Amino acid sequence: GLLAGELDVIGQPDIAWVEKMQVESGVEVDVFGVGEVVTVHFNTTVPPLDDPDVRKALAYAMDRDEFLALFGEPVAENVYSPVPSKFLAGGLTQEEVEALDLDYDVDRDLARQMLADAGYPDGFALEVVTSEMTGYRRVYENMQAQLAEVGVDLTVNVVDHSTMHAQIREDVNPIIVYIAWRPNADVFLTRFHHSDAIVVTGTAPDTNFAHYDAIDDLIEAARVETDPDAQIELWKEAQIQILEDMVSYPLHFQQQVYARAAGVDYGHELVSVLALYPGITENTTLER
C-alpha cells in the first residue's frame, strides 16, 4: 500500500523489513525511541511455576540474544532489568545485573538439571495464547522452540490482539509476554509488581501477571522518597528481588519503526516521547 501510494505511513518492528524498505525509492524509514520493553512474566500461582527453581530453570533455558535476533539491532536491544536503564533512572545495567549473577545467561544443561531436581526430569507441558501481532507472536513461538530444548512442551494458540489482552487479564496464561513502555520506574514497578495490581484478585487489578507481592514496601518507599539517589537505590533493590525470585525475565526493548512516503514531513524531530508513533501535528506536511 505504501509503495503503491495508497498509504502514507506504515510501521513494523523488524530489521529485515527496515533494510528492505530502505532501498525502495520514494520511501524514508525512521527508527526512534522510546523502546517498548518485552518482558516474560511467570504466573507464580500455577504449578510448576509456583516453584522458584522451576522459574529459574526456564530463565536459564532462554537465550536473550536469540530473541534479539528476531528483531535485530538497532530496532531492538537487550534489557536486563524490568526498568530499562537506557531510558529511565532506576534501571539496572547489564554490568550491575551480571555482577550479581542475576543475568541468567543461557545454560540449558543447568536448566535440565534444575528441572530434574525439582521433580520434572522429563519436563512438563503448558499452554498459552498469543496475539497475532509480530512483536508478540515471534517471541512466544521462539520461546516455544527454546523451552523445548529442556523438555518443556509449550502450546501456543494465536488469537487476535484484543482477545489476547482480554484473556491474559483473566489470568489464562501461565507465561505472559508483555510489551510496554511506562514513563518512570515507579509506574513500571507498580503496574507489574505491586500486589494491588495482581490480575483478577488485586485491589486494583492491572498487569501484575506474576501475582507477585514481595516488594510492595520498596515500591511504596521509593514513591515518597525525596532524595533522588536514595529513590533510585530503592528501585534497584526492588528489581534485584524480582530477579532473585525470577518472577519476570526482561528480554529486550523494541524501538518504533515507521516507513513514510518521501512527501511526508512530520515537521519535528522524532525523539523519545510517550506517544509510541510519529506525532502528526500542525507542523506536519504531506506532498503527493
Side-chain angles (χ1 to χ4, degrees), residues 138-195:
R138 280 187 182 175
V139 172
Y140 270 114
E141 291 180 343
N142 188 252
M143 185 195 308
Q144 180 185 48
Q146 293 193 39
L147 294 184
E149 295 289 327
V150 298
V152 176
D153 180 11
L154 184 66
T155 298
V156 178
N157 301 311
V158 181
V159 297
D160 65 82
H161 191 62
S162 60
T163 297
M164 181 207 73
H165 274 287
Q167 291 192 357
I168 61 177
R169 284 164 174 78
E170 294 171 0
D171 220 16
V172 302
N173 272 9
I175 300 177
I176 302 90
V177 173
Y178 204 83
I179 305 174
W181 168 253
R182 300 292 180 258
N184 55 50
D186 174 67
V187 182
F188 263 110
L189 295 174
T190 297
R191 296 191 65 182
F192 291 103
H193 296 99
H194 193 286
S195 64

Side-chain angles (χ1 to χ4, degrees), residues 6 13 15 31 41 47 64 94 110 129 140 216 220 232 240:
E6 298 166 353
I15 188 59
V31 179
H41 302 276
R64 272 192 183 90
Q94 177 180 355
L110 175 60
V129 297
Y140 270 114
D216 287 5
E220 292 167 10
I232 286 172
I240 289 169

Side-chain angles (χ1 to χ4, degrees), residues 65-284:
D65 290 336
E66 187 173 327
F67 286 110
L68 181 66
L70 299 174
F71 301 92
E73 298 179 278
V75 171
E77 186 176 312
N78 282 340
V79 171
Y80 293 84
S81 66
V83 177
S85 62
K86 182 168 184 174
F87 298 112
L88 295 174
L92 295 163
T93 65
Q94 177 180 355
E95 292 74 21
E96 288 175 312
V97 173
E98 288 177 345
L100 294 166
D101 198 26
L102 291 174
D103 57 318
Y104 294 91
D105 192 29
V106 60
D107 187 337
R108 288 175 181 148
D109 289 336
L110 175 60
R112 293 185 194 95
Q113 186 59 55
M114 292 181 72
L115 289 175
D117 292 344
Y120 302 94
D122 300 319
F124 52 87
L126 295 173
E127 186 170 353
V128 297
V129 297
T130 178
S131 164
E132 85 284 10
M133 288 182 63
T134 300
Y136 283 92
R137 184 170 180 171
R138 280 187 182 175
V139 172
Y140 270 114
E141 291 180 343
N142 188 252
M143 185 195 308
Q144 180 185 48
Q146 293 193 39
L147 294 184
E149 295 289 327
V150 298
V152 176
D153 180 11
L154 184 66
T155 298
V156 178
N157 301 311
V158 181
V159 297
D160 65 82
H161 191 62
S162 60
T163 297
M164 181 207 73
H165 274 287
Q167 291 192 357
I168 61 177
R169 284 164 174 78
E170 294 171 0
D171 220 16
V172 302
N173 272 9
I175 300 177
I176 302 90
V177 173
Y178 204 83
I179 305 174
W181 168 253
R182 300 292 180 258
N184 55 50
D186 174 67
V187 182
F188 263 110
L189 295 174
T190 297
R191 296 191 65 182
F192 291 103
H193 296 99
H194 193 286
S195 64
D196 286 351
I198 293 174
V199 291
V200 181
T201 61
T203 58
D206 193 4
T207 51
N208 182 345
F209 303 108
H211 292 252
Y212 194 51
D213 62 2
I215 57 170
D216 287 5
D217 56 340
L218 292 171
I219 295 173
E220 292 167 10
R223 191 179 300 151
V224 297
E225 177 56 63
T226 57
D227 180 339
D229 292 334
Q231 184 181 55
I232 286 172
E233 288 308 308
L234 287 167
W235 282 333
K236 289 186 176 183
E237 185 179 347
Q239 291 171 91
I240 289 169
Q241 190 64 53
I242 290 169
L243 295 175
E244 286 180 344
D245 293 338
M246 188 31 63
V247 294
S248 297
Y249 180 81
L251 291 181
H252 56 261
F253 63 75
Q254 297 173 5
Q255 300 212 83
Q256 309 308 308
V257 182
Y258 284 84
R260 56 188 163 91
V264 175
D265 182 351
Y266 296 123
H268 57 87
E269 183 182 0
L270 295 176
V271 294
S272 295
V273 292
L274 292 182
L276 302 175
Y277 50 84
I280 307 300
T281 75
E282 69 281 4
N283 296 318
T284 301

Side-chain angles (χ1 to χ4, degrees), residues 28-40:
E28 301 290 338
V29 179
D30 300 297
V31 179
F32 61 98
V34 296
E36 296 180 86
V37 181
V38 182
T39 305
V40 178

